[in-house]
Amino acid sequence: MTIHIVETGIRAHERAWMDQAIELATTSVANGGGPFGALVAKDGVVVATANNKVTSSLDPTAHAEVSAIRAACQELGTFSLEGCTLVTSCEPCPMCLSSSLWARVDRLIYAADRHDAAVAGFDDRKFYDLFEKRPQEMWPMAVEHLDLPHRTQPFDAWIAKSDRIDY
């Protein structure tokens, strides 16, 4: 699950956005947050910024990317970030990458990578390895399937709902 970008594809305004994401991350450290910053841009305009607040908010999902995605969705009034670019100071962890995919972000640009993060004590490589290489039986957490007869009840209700909003 390696993400590649081509330096020649970066435009001047995107370089400025990356500088802003790196500054958000650096300021976050000074303010007691984690060293990660992110922003979401649409049509050349930054619509949301965020920094890592995992320890300050006691929320393990409060990564900069997830927080920026949440803020952008609120700002734009939608759950879909099609047409948007996510710019982040560091390569997204699997959770943030998945969130970007669920949000339908068009493009993701990052600066530092997972190896740079590991040097600073943020070793997400084990999570990448977990999803890429390790069978589920070797995960550090038990994952169990309880096959109940009414397991599809919520989906049945969803399918039957005539005014649902598909996503």
Side-chain angles (χ1 to χ4, degrees):
M1 188 181 336
T2 302
I3 306 165
H4 297 282
I5 61 169
V6 180
E7 179 64 32
T8 56
I10 303 296
R11 298 175 193 96
H13 64 279
E14 292 168 339
R15 187 67 172 249
W17 293 342
M18 183 59 72
D19 290 340
Q20 185 177 357
I22 292 169
E23 185 57 35
L24 284 164
T26 305
T27 302
S28 179
V29 172
N31 294 331
F36 303 94
L39 61 85
V40 175
K42 183 169 186 169
D43 299 327
V45 177
V46 174
V47 295
T49 64
N51 63 284
N52 180 288
K53 294 182 179 180
V54 169
T55 58
S56 62
S57 67
L58 305 177
D59 179 356
T61 67
H63 291 203
E65 298 90 340
V66 172
S67 297
I69 288 168
R70 289 173 179 158
C73 287
Q74 291 299 308
E75 179 65 28
L76 296 172
T78 182
F79 58 83
S80 174
L81 295 180
E82 289 182 53
C84 292
T85 300
L86 174 63
V87 181
T88 180
S89 63
C90 187
E91 180 180 6
C93 72
M95 176 185 70
C96 293
L97 184 57
S98 296
S99 297
S100 302
L101 292 168
W102 272 109
R104 311 299 195 265
V105 170
D106 280 2
R107 191 158 180 240
L108 189 149
I109 307 168
Y110 68 91
D113 65 18
R114 66 183 84 171
H115 308 291
D116 299 319
V119 170
F122 295 90
D123 196 354
D124 292 345
R125 292 178 297 191
K126 62 185 173 191
F127 299 126
Y128 285 99
D129 290 346
L130 177 71
F131 290 108
E132 291 174 352
K133 300 176 186 170
R134 295 178 77 186
Q136 207 172 38
E137 302 81 46
M138 297 181 68
W139 287 18
M141 165 185 71
V143 178
E144 301 173 29
H145 175 218
L146 185 56
D147 189 9
L148 299 175
H150 61 292
R151 70 187 179 280
T152 63
Q153 181 177 325
F155 297 119
D156 297 340
W158 173 257
I159 292 167
K161 184 173 173 56
S162 62
D163 63 342
R164 71 177 182 262
I165 298 173
D166 291 327
Y167 60 97

